[in-house]
């Protein structure tokens, strides 16, 4: 091989490596699973105890810059759960502290309490559960510079079912 072929090969590797690393970051964040550290998910408990379990089923470390879970009722935001920059070890789940904020904490807890009771079939339907939407947003960066967001919008009932699913990880808390 002549020296120009070697320089070209090295340049290609130098260019492709960060692109591959960025694409891997996107793929790995999309594979993260969120759940509840308790046996059964309840919005009211999550707003009070502010803990979320995140499972990394991949054999590599996964990092993200932030996680926001926003709860809306009739297109009005009722509360936001936030987790800052985090790295999750391979094939493990970790229980992370989240911060919950709401413009009207009592109203958010009232809504969450009713949704928990309705989804658990413990109380009759008083508030329309179809009007509650949960938006989950993982924030990461491609090549450490370009912001990327993986956003999932679900009904409150679908979010509850997702949080109650068994994860593919062993608990490493």
């Amino acid at each position: 091989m002549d020296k120009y072929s070697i320089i070209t090969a090295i340049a290609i590797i130098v260019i492709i490596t960060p692109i591959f690393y960025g694409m891997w970051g996107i793929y790995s964040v999309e594979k993260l699973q969120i759940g509840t550290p308790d046996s059964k998910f309840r919005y009211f408990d999550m707003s009070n105890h502010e803990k979320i379990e995140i499972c990394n089923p991949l054999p590599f470390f996964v990092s993200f810059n932030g996680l926001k879970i926003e709860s809306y009722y009739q297109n009005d935001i009722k509360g936001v759960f936030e987790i800052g920059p985090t790295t999750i070890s391979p094939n493990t789940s970790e229980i992370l502290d989240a911060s919950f904020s709401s413009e009207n904490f009592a109203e958010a807890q009232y809504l969450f309490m009713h949704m928990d009771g309705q989804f658990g079939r413990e109380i009759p339907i008083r508030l329309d559960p179809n009007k509650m939407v949960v938006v989950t947003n993982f924030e990461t960066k491609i090549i450490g510079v370009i912001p990327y967001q993986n956003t999932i919008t679900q009904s409150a009932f679908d979010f509850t079912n997702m949080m109650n699913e068994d994860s593919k990880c062993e608990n490493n808390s």
Side-chain angles (χ1 to χ4, degrees):
M1 287 180 81
D2 63 358
K3 74 178 189 177
Y4 295 112
S5 298
I6 295 172
I7 291 172
T8 303
I10 291 172
I12 290 171
I13 291 171
V14 167
I15 292 169
I16 289 177
T17 301
I19 293 171
F20 175 75
Y21 180 76
M23 298 310 274
W24 176 256
I26 291 170
Y27 172 78
S28 60
V29 164
E30 290 177 352
K31 294 299 177 190
L32 289 176
Q33 302 169 344
I34 59 175
T36 180
D38 302 323
S39 60
K40 184 178 178 183
F41 173 74
R42 298 181 75 76
Y43 289 100
F44 188 81
D45 290 343
M46 191 166 92
S47 68
N48 286 315
H49 302 297
E50 300 178 341
K51 299 223 181 264
I52 296 173
E53 182 175 13
I54 299 182
C55 165
N56 174 13
L58 301 173
F60 303 101
F61 286 92
V62 176
S63 296
F64 58 89
N65 292 356
L67 167 65
K68 280 187 182 178
I69 301 172
E70 300 171 320
S71 302
Y72 293 88
Y73 189 77
Q74 295 181 336
N75 297 325
D76 184 28
I77 192 159
K78 297 300 177 186
V80 178
F81 301 92
E82 292 184 85
I83 295 176
T86 303
T87 300
I88 309 292
S89 300
N91 296 313
T92 59
S93 72
E94 296 183 19
I95 298 172
L96 303 174
D97 292 325
S99 63
F100 177 72
S101 60
S102 176
E103 288 184 18
N104 189 338
F105 188 70
E107 182 180 332
Q109 285 194 319
Y110 180 81
L111 174 68
F112 293 160
M113 184 177 60
H114 274 283
M115 291 301 159
D116 290 339
Q118 289 172 181
F119 295 149
R121 292 181 166 63
E122 299 162 1
I123 64 171
I125 294 176
R126 292 188 180 116
L127 300 174
D128 186 358
N130 296 320
K131 294 182 180 179
M132 185 170 168
V133 175
V134 179
V135 178
T136 306
N137 186 6
F138 278 101
E139 299 170 5
T140 189
K141 291 192 178 180
I142 302 171
I143 314 172
V145 179
I146 304 166
Y148 175 79
Q149 295 182 349
N150 178 29
T151 303
I152 302 167
T153 303
Q154 300 172 292
S155 70
F157 185 72
D158 290 339
F159 183 79
T160 300
N161 288 338
M162 179 193 71
M163 294 292 280
N164 283 325
E165 288 178 357
D166 292 333
S167 72
K168 297 177 182 174
C169 301
E170 59 189 60
N171 194 339
N172 189 31
S173 58

